[in-house]
């Protein structure tokens, strides 16, 4: 909790290089706290979800904006900024079919963004060196990593160590969600009412357990870590 407090931001500088921007919600905090070294090496966290956002405010007195890694939040601004500047990007995550569909949507909506490379999320540890070398050679301005926590955070750190020219973002299921549901994954009224969690339970199988069991665990450890760490 102490490390989150130091690295939470309400503003992302899209022109930085050699940094990692990740996100934190009640669920992945519960996973990341088991690998505390990741908190030390990730440069910035943003709040993905209003529950942790307001819980953090209640526990610390500091309110930060919710900046989720998707087109319903700050990724829309970032991709628009990249489109204006003709910047390049490399995508990692999802299945091959989903990844290809996602890239097609990006190229249609942001025609000036240069997609320098892509890699599905189902690779082995033995493949990592080749992917990192590919990114290093291509020198994209941005790298989007969607492998789920903690795999994406661990792989982003490996990319950062060799690819200082890129700004790296962890994005969870953003690539597959967008490929399967379009750029506007969340209806506007869902975003406005902070009902993203309920919408995801309706749309995605297997999430009910996460919200009903793992989220309460996450809340418990957030409160515990605030006062005992």
């Amino acid at each position: 909790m102490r490390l989150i407090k130091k690295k939470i931001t309400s503003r992302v500088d899209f022109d930085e290089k050699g940094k990692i921007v990740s996100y934190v919600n009640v669920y992945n905090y519960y996973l990341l706290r088991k690998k505390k070294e990741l908190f030390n090496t990730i440069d910035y966290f943003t709040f993905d979800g209003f529950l942790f956002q307001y819980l953090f405010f209640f526990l610390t007195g500091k309110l930060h904006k919710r900046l989720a890694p998707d087109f319903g939040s700050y990724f829309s601004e970032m991709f628009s900024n990249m489109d204006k500047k003709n910047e390049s990007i490399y995508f990692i995550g999802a299945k091959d079919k989903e990844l290809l569909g996602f890239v097609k949507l990006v190229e249609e909506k942001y025609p000036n963004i240069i997609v320098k490379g892509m890699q599905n999320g189902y690779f082995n540890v033995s493949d990592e060196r080749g992917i990192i070398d590919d990114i290093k050679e291509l020198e994209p301005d941005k790298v989007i990593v969607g492998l789920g926590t903690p795999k994406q955070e661990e792989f982003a750190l490996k990319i950062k160590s060799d690819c200082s020219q890129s700004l790296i973002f962890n994005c969870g299921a953003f690539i597959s969600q967008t490929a399967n549901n379009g750029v506007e994954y969340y209806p506007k009224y869902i975003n406005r009412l902070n009902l993203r969690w309920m919408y995801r339970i309706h749309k995605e199988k297997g999430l009910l357990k996460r919200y009903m069991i793992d989220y309460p665990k996450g809340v418990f450890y957030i409160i515990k870590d605030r006062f005992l760490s």
Side-chain angles (χ1 to χ4, degrees):
M1 186 68 175
R2 176 177 53 83
L3 294 172
I4 285 290
K5 188 176 179 181
K6 290 181 178 179
K7 297 189 176 186
I8 281 289
T9 183
S10 292
R11 179 183 174 275
V12 177
D13 183 350
F14 301 137
D15 295 321
E16 282 203 84
K17 302 291 183 183
K19 304 287 186 181
I20 298 174
V21 182
S22 197
Y23 62 90
V24 65
N25 54 43
V26 170
Y27 174 68
N28 79 337
Y29 177 86
Y30 170 63
L31 300 176
L32 285 171
R33 71 182 298 277
K34 301 174 185 177
K35 296 176 176 288
K36 293 184 179 179
E37 69 278 5
L38 293 176
F39 283 121
N40 290 314
T41 48
I42 290 172
D43 298 286
Y44 307 107
F45 285 95
T46 65
F47 279 128
D48 171 32
F50 77 96
L51 179 56
F52 200 168
Q53 177 191 15
Y54 287 106
L55 187 58
F56 185 86
F57 174 65
F58 175 76
L59 294 172
T60 68
K62 294 186 177 182
L63 183 63
H64 290 271
K65 290 173 62 178
R66 181 184 68 80
L67 299 176
D70 58 50
F71 286 131
S73 186
Y74 82 99
F75 267 19
S76 179
E77 179 186 357
M78 184 183 76
F79 275 73
S80 294
N81 183 273
M82 290 181 64
D83 193 55
K84 291 175 183 176
K85 295 181 177 181
N86 296 95
E87 289 189 340
S88 59
I89 196 164
Y90 193 108
F91 295 111
I92 303 170
K95 299 175 182 177
D96 278 324
K97 185 177 179 180
E98 292 172 329
L99 183 58
L100 290 170
F102 169 80
V103 169
K104 182 179 179 181
L105 287 172
V106 169
E107 290 176 335
E108 289 173 354
K109 187 172 178 64
Y110 304 101
N112 297 315
I113 290 179
I114 303 163
V115 179
K116 282 198 170 180
M118 67 185 83
Q119 166 64 49
N120 70 49
Y122 296 85
F123 55 87
N124 298 316
V125 174
S126 59
D127 301 318
E128 290 182 352
R129 184 69 259 169
I131 298 168
I132 294 169
D133 287 343
D134 194 34
I135 295 170
K136 186 176 181 179
E137 180 180 349
L138 292 170
E139 296 187 335
D141 295 298
K142 307 288 192 297
V143 178
I144 304 291
V145 185
L147 302 175
T149 299
K151 185 177 179 180
Q152 62 190 7
E153 287 81 9
E154 293 170 338
F155 192 50
L157 292 174
K158 294 176 183 179
I159 297 171
K160 177 185 175 181
S161 66
D162 277 8
C163 307
S164 60
Q165 78 285 348
S166 302
L167 181 59
I168 305 163
F169 294 86
N170 292 320
C171 71
F174 162 66
I175 294 173
S176 57
Q177 284 179 352
T178 304
N180 293 323
N181 300 281
V183 173
E184 300 293 337
Y185 179 71
Y186 296 102
K188 290 181 179 178
Y189 74 92
I190 292 291
N191 267 325
R192 193 162 51 244
L193 296 174
N194 283 323
L195 295 176
R196 293 157 63 97
W197 63 275
M198 188 179 294
Y199 188 76
R200 287 194 67 190
I201 289 175
H202 169 68
K203 293 285 286 186
E204 301 175 40
K205 294 181 179 179
L207 286 185
L208 185 60
K209 173 184 175 292
R210 178 185 299 184
Y211 283 101
M212 296 298 104
I213 297 175
D214 295 331
Y215 262 59
K217 288 181 182 178
V219 170
F220 169 79
Y221 282 109
I222 289 167
I223 295 171
K224 176 179 178 290
D225 292 347
R226 169 65 180 88
F227 294 107
L228 298 180
S229 64

